[in-house]
Amino acid sequence: MKSVENKKIFINSNKYVYRVEHLTLEGTCSIDHGPKYVEIKNLFVDKYPVTNKQYLNFLKKTGYFPKDNQRFLEHKPNKSIYDLPVVFVSQKDAAEYAKWAGGRLPTDEEWQYIASGPKYLEWPWGNKFNPTLCNHDGQHLVCVNVYRKGASWCGCEDMAGNCWEWTADIHDDGNHQFALLRGGSYFYAHDHWHVGGGARKNNYHWKLQILNEGMNRAATLGFRCVYDAK
Amino acid sequence: MMQNKFTDKKKSIDFSLGNLNLSVDVYKNIFLKELNFIKNINNELFSIRVENKLIPKNKYKIEKVSKNTDDNFTFISIDFSQIFENDFFEGRISFVQKKKNIIDFIFQLSAKWHKDIPKKVLLKFPFLINLHKNKNFLKPGDIFDGKKRINKGVWNLHEYPPSIISDNLGNQCLGFEFYDQFPWQANYNLGMSEAISNENFEKLETEVQLNRELTDIILMKIYISSNGREKIFNLWKENTRQRYDLRKYHDNKNRWIKNNYLQHFMFAYGEEAFDYKKMEFKIIQIIKEGKEFGGYDSILFWHQYPRLGLDESNQWQLYKYLPKNYKTIKKIVDICHSENIKFFIPFKPWDIRSNESLDSHAKSLERFIKETSIDGFFLDTMSSLPDSFLKIKKKFPLFEFCSEGTPREQRQIETLTSSWDQIGDIRRNFKVEINSNFFRFLFPEHPLNLVSRWSVGSDKDSLIKRAAFNGMGMVIWQDIFGCWLPFSIEQKKNIKSLKSTLKKYHKYFYGDNSVPLIKTLSEKIICNEFSNSFSKEKIYSIYNFSSNKIKGRILKLPSAVKEFKQIYGKSANIKIEKKQNNFYLLANLDLDDVMLLYIKFDI
């Protein structure tokens, strides 16, 4: 069976109003959530989250292996799950891949624009939630190209549900370091004290407080890359 | 048993039952005329509304008035009946004495319904309304500030301290308690505890479901004192505690948790706890900083929340993902133990998965104790101890449990032997009040650590004062899940001073004879007294809640003083004055200031 080919989609430069919601339960998410005018430069973006196959290829070509390897690729990717998004990667693991692939991780602002576009859609496919267009509240990860009708305005798929996606930065409020995750995942824990699960709206990010790499990797956390264009 | 029937048609009947004297008018209606020192009450004991129609006052028929006595107890009862429209009511009011200075007032009612179809019945107790209006009536935790009654006490358990009415001198007192441990049972003190502690007592109407048998509607305990309201508190405390099995507090004399004055909340995800460069926890630094507070007695490690739920990992698995997995915890625990600091990890009941049980979590805990030598389990969001965990104590007798919520019910209090006293609410403008926590005085053997996680600035000052006023330890929690709210240098100094005082005078602060809100000689000062039975020594915590400095007599002391010293707070220039064989405490107390005072009496 032929594997999914992760195409690059071009995004024209544009300016848009960034305004994001978050849910941190208790504590704060100390960044500016907008509204603010931001500029997105010309760039390419992966149509899908990076797959297991792509990541294994990266390992094969580079010999990359993190110094702190707790939970690194804990799901033991193999041929049978080539087209699932790669997970159990930290932000560093993701950034290393992106660098090798000639790109980088998207910023929080870029990710939102790729998902919602110039029409400020609430979900990648439109303004109304539709659980049949994403892997929401499911039992496990699915292949990245299963929900074709759930694509965003520019053709990116799997932007809501299936796996959370890393964004580029580590934010530092002087006392804490945290990263912002996007898109939600298939997993929906049962209690309101848990991290809010399921697919998440385009304008939603979740604050992941950074600790050691073992804690920074998870079964629901992957990434996609963007590539600067001239 | 002797029985006297009162068949004569006297206008009123005077009873004497132990130290309770009351006069009830039974001629036309059932009026309470006098109760000990309270004269001219002249109000109905009860009134009944049936389907919104009030039964007229003169419709009751007194069937029997009797007094029974034997060697163990005495009771007086008034049986009455009533026909209203087509329904027939019978009732009984009884006063029962089994213990000196404690009388049970029991009100029972039955109904034979026309065609056996019950109707809606609402009851009021007008005599209580009249007592409630009396200027010397104080609801639980109330004091009289010279103009009005204000609340300076809190309790958060299913025991309700008595409301107290006193004579003008404050010596003769009656306390009224509506015991109500399970507040949803039919026809039993419904709403009375809440009503008597709130302003809306007059509005209270209790709905009851009546049938042919007499059912208990009200069981009010009346406590009697001729030595002030402190005696009422002690009677209630003694009477309440004797229902409890408190062996778990007293069986093991090596309970280290008794000395857990300061617990540090170690939120893993922040500069306070984690070195992002070295990728390791800063336990040595935390312990060092803890010395500014007087030294932590325990540390609560916290890394599961708000991280749980990102994937399927459960609360135990998250320990495996720490640097060097469990070994990280073991290393931290060993360092803590070398500094005589105990170590807690939390349990998250809300994370129990469908394929898990409390027994399986108990097994995980047992394994964790063996691997890491932790000392305690903190029960997040809980106020009770599951039996599955209780079994751990048999294998690890020194292992302790501490809950986020103070236990409220009997079984919880009996088994869960320490907890936080947590106050505050970020959603409202929460002001930390300095008042007495009655739980602290009812169960002094149960250590409480005060915490108000979101409080900052002057509220943090008040929090420290509140801890001092109640003679209790604190939780030092500065990183609130990623929100950094540290204590100031001055606040740290105050906590250090408080801890040192609590430690030095431990046996009095945690003594069995402590009383909240004793009588003071200033309307703007409140005072708690800490002591042990048969001890000549006492600690007084004194708070000036006025907006001015208060100078002069603060307390009337029980006897001559052999030794005294201020042991916490800004210097209040304490003096003892003797006048006509009476002894007074004089102080110069700043506004919004708490001081602690040690006195050794010359008895």
Side-chain angles (χ1 to χ4, degrees):
Chain A
M1 198 173 74
K2 200 180 171 190
S3 297
V4 173
E5 189 186 345
N6 202 346
K7 293 176 186 167
K8 294 185 177 71
I9 294 170
F10 182 70
I11 306 284
N12 264 317
S13 66
N14 199 0
K15 286 184 176 176
Y16 88 110
V17 179
Y18 169 86
R19 166 66 193 155
V20 67
E21 294 174 9
H22 73 274
L23 175 67
T24 55
L25 295 175
E26 296 166 272
T28 52
C29 178
S30 21
I31 63 159
D32 180 358
H33 290 78
K36 59 182 180 181
Y37 221 41
V38 296
E39 184 179 3
I40 306 298
K41 293 186 174 163
N42 284 342
L43 51 81
F44 290 93
V45 58
D46 286 338
K47 181 174 183 175
Y48 308 113
V50 171
T51 61
N52 284 318
K53 185 182 178 187
Q54 288 178 289
Y55 204 84
L56 287 173
N57 187 41
F58 156 65
L59 297 186
K60 193 177 166 187
K61 294 277 173 61
T62 63
Y64 174 77
F65 191 72
K67 191 177 167 189
D68 181 349
N69 66 343
Q70 264 184 307
R71 299 201 89 191
F72 179 60
L73 302 184
E74 190 177 277
H75 60 308
K76 296 185 173 54
N78 57 44
K79 256 186 176 175
S80 67
I81 54 170
Y82 262 0
D83 293 340
L84 266 58
V86 67
V87 289
F88 288 113
V89 285
S90 68
Q91 194 192 42
K92 282 178 194 162
D93 305 327
E96 285 295 326
Y97 171 92
K99 193 175 159 190
W100 169 77
R104 56 180 172 79
L105 295 177
T107 63
D108 197 53
E109 291 91 342
E110 287 169 342
W111 195 100
Q112 183 161 324
Y113 183 68
I114 294 163
S116 63
K119 291 187 177 174
Y120 299 96
L121 296 178
E122 290 192 17
W123 297 91
W125 52 83
N127 283 323
K128 192 176 174 188
F129 180 60
N130 183 342
T132 67
L133 298 181
C134 58
N135 185 12
H136 166 82
D137 202 10
Q139 299 299 308
H140 45 71
L141 291 167
V142 296
C143 295
V144 293
N145 64 344
V146 167
Y147 294 99
R148 290 176 185 171
K149 289 183 180 172
S152 74
W153 65 284
C154 61
C156 284
E157 295 180 24
D158 243 16
M159 298 209 77
N162 214 19
C163 71
W164 289 95
E165 295 182 21
W166 285 104
T167 58
D169 299 312
I170 291 286
H171 302 268
D172 190 334
D173 66 6
N175 293 295
H176 312 90
Q177 295 186 8
F178 60 94
L180 300 171
L181 306 187
R182 286 288 191 158
S185 80
Y186 73 90
F187 181 65
Y188 216 131
H190 62 269
D191 197 89
H192 68 272
W193 293 115
H194 285 117
V195 174
R200 289 285 153 174
K201 282 163 61 173
N202 292 336
N203 67 342
Y204 176 94
H205 68 211
W206 186 68
K207 171 188 176 185
L208 177 77
Q209 306 205 55
I210 295 294
L211 210 59
N212 61 300
E213 292 289 78
M215 287 295 292
N216 297 340
R217 299 183 179 112
T220 56
L221 182 48
F223 67 102
R224 79 178 69 214
C225 303
V226 292
Y227 309 85
D228 294 316
K230 288 179 183 173
Chain B
M1 181 177 277
M2 181 184 80
Q3 185 172 79
N4 294 324
K5 285 192 177 179
F6 291 74
T7 50
D8 53 337
K9 290 207 168 184
K10 283 197 289 185
K11 195 170 183 180
S12 67
I13 297 169
D14 299 330
F15 298 121
S16 190
L17 199 59
N19 293 330
L20 185 77
N21 302 305
L22 69 157
S23 177
V24 179
D25 184 330
V26 293
Y27 181 57
K28 284 184 179 173
N29 192 2
I30 304 173
F31 266 64
L32 183 65
K33 289 173 66 183
E34 293 181 9
L35 188 62
N36 275 23
F37 54 88
I38 316 164
K39 312 295 180 191
N40 304 317
I41 298 173
N42 289 334
N43 216 335
E44 301 158 88
L45 276 169
F46 60 90
S47 67
I48 305 176
R49 275 203 300 153
V50 181
E51 294 294 351
N52 220 20
K53 291 178 187 168
L54 194 66
I55 297 182
K57 289 180 183 177
N58 57 359
K59 290 273 185 178
Y60 296 102
K61 183 185 172 195
I62 305 302
E63 298 283 355
K64 187 173 72 178
V65 178
S66 52
K67 179 177 182 181
N68 296 277
T69 185
D70 71 5
D71 292 343
N72 296 311
F73 74 90
T74 306
F75 77 86
I76 292 163
S77 58
I78 303 164
D79 289 79
F80 62 90
S81 66
Q82 165 71 52
I83 297 172
F84 182 63
E85 298 189 339
N86 293 315
D87 304 311
F88 179 68
F89 298 89
E90 284 183 306
R92 184 189 297 144
I93 290 165
S94 308
F95 295 89
V96 180
Q97 181 180 30
K98 283 187 282 188
K99 293 176 188 168
K100 195 183 174 191
N101 293 322
I102 303 179
I103 309 281
D104 286 348
F105 166 81
I106 303 164
F107 178 72
Q108 297 158 299
L109 205 57
S110 71
K112 290 184 182 118
W113 297 108
H114 180 58
K115 294 183 180 174
D116 279 340
I117 302 297
K119 292 179 178 142
K120 181 171 176 128
V121 178
L122 296 169
L123 290 172
K124 265 194 172 187
F125 299 91
F127 82 101
L128 284 170
I129 296 172
N130 259 15
L131 293 181
H132 199 248
K133 285 178 180 168
N134 189 302
K135 72 179 175 65
N136 293 327
F137 181 92
L138 293 175
K139 292 174 289 176
D142 270 8
I143 62 155
F144 187 71
D145 79 344
K147 288 181 183 168
K148 59 184 184 307
R149 294 176 287 202
I150 56 170
N151 191 266
K152 289 289 176 187
V154 290
W155 67 98
N156 187 23
L157 70 163
H158 289 154
E159 300 286 356
Y160 294 87
S163 296
I164 299 171
I165 192 164
S166 60
D167 64 4
N168 287 333
L169 294 173
N171 296 328
Q172 301 291 328
C173 295
L174 294 172
F176 305 99
E177 180 204 4
F178 296 96
Y179 177 65
D180 190 9
Q181 198 165 32
F182 185 74
W184 295 283
Q185 56 183 318
N187 299 345
Y188 192 87
N189 283 354
L190 289 169
M192 301 299 283
S193 303
E194 288 84 357
I196 206 160
S197 5
N198 291 317
E199 295 298 336
N200 62 356
F201 191 72
E202 292 175 46
K203 292 177 186 166
L204 177 82
E205 276 192 299
T206 290
E207 182 172 351
V208 291
Q209 283 73 42
L210 301 180
N211 59 28
R212 286 167 183 268
E213 298 300 323
L214 283 177
T215 179
D216 284 7
I217 306 291
I218 294 293
L219 174 60
M220 176 175 78
K221 283 203 182 300
I222 305 173
Y223 297 92
I224 304 158
S225 161
S226 53
N227 293 314
R229 62 189 188 193
E230 293 84 357
K231 176 79 183 296
I232 298 277
F233 178 83
N234 281 332
L235 284 169
W236 170 71
K237 177 177 170 179
E238 186 187 344
N239 190 57
T240 301
R241 281 174 60 92
Q242 70 178 11
R243 287 198 304 273
Y244 283 73
D245 172 5
L246 298 170
R247 283 176 299 171
K248 288 191 171 51
Y249 290 91
H250 301 289
D251 278 358
N252 189 340
K253 287 179 181 167
N254 299 316
R255 288 184 67 228
W256 55 264
I257 197 98
K258 288 188 293 188
N259 305 105
N260 187 31
Y261 308 106
L262 294 184
Q263 183 180 66
H264 174 64
F265 190 102
M266 181 179 170
F267 183 65
Y269 306 86
E271 294 281 357
E272 184 194 35
F274 193 67
D275 186 327
Y276 290 100
K277 284 181 185 161
K278 292 182 182 169
M279 285 287 160
E280 61 184 28
F281 291 105
K282 295 155 71 175
I283 188 63
I284 291 169
Q285 184 68 20
I286 285 173
I287 292 170
K288 189 179 166 194
E289 283 168 6
K291 296 193 190 307
E292 294 172 38
F293 293 92
Y296 298 137
D297 301 295
S298 69
I299 286 176
L300 168 58
F301 181 80
W302 196 278
H303 85 306
Q304 299 148 327
Y305 173 85
R307 173 66 166 69
L308 274 169
L310 179 60
D311 63 14
E312 290 172 75
S313 306
N314 71 18
Q315 55 189 301
W316 296 102
Q317 287 168 317
L318 286 192
Y319 288 104
K320 287 190 205 165
Y321 312 151
L322 291 172
K324 297 172 191 165
N325 56 56
Y326 291 108
K327 287 176 191 164
T328 283
I329 298 293
K330 173 68 176 152
K331 186 180 168 189
I332 295 174
V333 173
D334 287 346
I335 292 169
C336 286
H337 285 176
S338 71
E339 296 280 340
N340 202 24
I341 295 169
K342 303 296 183 184
F343 197 83
F344 281 89
I345 61 163
F347 172 65
K348 307 284 190 293
W350 45 267
D351 186 53
I352 297 176
R353 311 296 169 88
S354 54
N355 61 347
E356 297 173 350
S357 66
L358 282 169
D359 280 351
S360 70
H361 280 278
K363 280 177 187 161
S364 299
L365 172 60
E366 195 178 326
R367 279 195 298 273
F368 203 88
I369 296 169
K370 285 175 183 166
E371 286 195 43
T372 64
S373 309
I374 58 165
D375 306 285
F377 211 28
F378 177 81
L379 306 170
D380 180 40
T381 71
M382 298 172 75
S383 54
S384 62
L385 180 63
D387 281 353
S388 303
F389 295 167
L390 195 53
K391 290 173 193 161
I392 296 279
K393 292 278 276 185
K394 287 183 182 160
K395 289 187 180 173
F396 305 96
L398 290 178
F399 196 78
E400 291 284 355
F401 295 90
C402 174
S403 61
E404 182 179 6
T406 306
R408 297 165 64 86
E409 291 164 10
Q410 182 162 346
R411 172 71 174 164
Q412 299 170 357
I413 294 165
E414 288 170 344
T415 55
L416 183 53
T417 52
S418 78
S419 63
W420 281 7
D421 174 23
Q422 184 167 224
I423 56 173
D425 186 343
I426 194 174
R427 294 165 295 184
R428 294 173 182 86
N429 176 12
F430 181 78
K431 184 178 184 305
V432 177
E433 300 284 352
I434 293 146
N435 48 26
S436 280
N437 182 337
F438 279 46
F439 184 100
R440 168 78 182 77
F441 294 87
L442 182 59
F443 299 108
E445 53 274 88
H446 180 106
L448 290 168
N449 290 77
L450 183 65
V451 58
S452 175
R453 66 180 76 171
W454 298 111
S455 292
V456 294
S458 58
D459 275 335
K460 262 192 164 61
D461 293 332
S462 296
L463 193 68
I464 300 163
K465 288 174 194 171
R466 180 174 163 130
F469 187 63
N470 284 289
M472 63 165 68
M474 296 180 73
V475 179
I476 306 301
W477 186 0
Q478 302 186 105
D479 195 339
I480 322 299
F481 307 127
C483 189
W484 180 241
L485 307 175
F487 287 89
S488 69
I489 292 170
E490 194 61 34
Q491 288 162 345
K492 287 177 184 175
K493 276 185 195 166
N494 288 336
I495 293 171
K496 187 175 185 175
S497 169
L498 175 61
K499 183 191 159 173
S500 160
T501 306
L502 291 174
K503 198 172 171 182
K504 186 171 179 184
Y505 297 93
H506 180 100
K507 65 178 174 179
Y508 307 114
F509 281 115
Y510 296 89
D512 62 355
N513 198 31
S514 301
V515 184
L517 298 179
I518 65 167
K519 189 180 176 187
T520 69
L521 299 178
S522 167
E523 289 158 341
K524 303 286 185 186
I525 279 182
I526 51 176
C527 178
N528 294 322
E529 180 186 292
F530 301 91
S531 70
N532 258 318
S533 297
F534 314 114
S535 170
K536 293 177 182 175
E537 292 149 287
K538 291 181 192 292
I539 305 286
Y540 294 94
S541 67
I542 301 170
Y543 174 54
N544 171 4
F545 63 88
S546 76
S547 47
N548 300 299
K549 184 178 267 200
I550 290 178
K551 193 175 176 182
R553 286 180 180 173
I554 303 289
L555 292 176
K556 185 181 177 192
L557 300 171
S559 65
V561 169
K562 196 170 185 180
E563 184 188 342
F564 69 96
K565 59 184 162 186
Q566 189 180 341
I567 54 176
Y568 178 82
K570 277 186 275 182
S571 174
N573 198 19
I574 300 295
K575 286 177 186 160
I576 305 293
E577 178 189 55
K578 182 185 175 188
K579 197 161 190 182
Q580 296 170 339
N581 286 330
N582 289 320
F583 298 89
Y584 299 96
L585 173 75
L586 279 65
N588 195 347
L589 199 59
D590 266 356
L591 60 144
D592 195 29
D593 225 12
V594 170
M595 72 150 169
L596 298 174
L597 177 69
Y598 163 87
I599 296 183
K600 186 172 187 177
F601 290 98
D602 190 11
I603 300 170

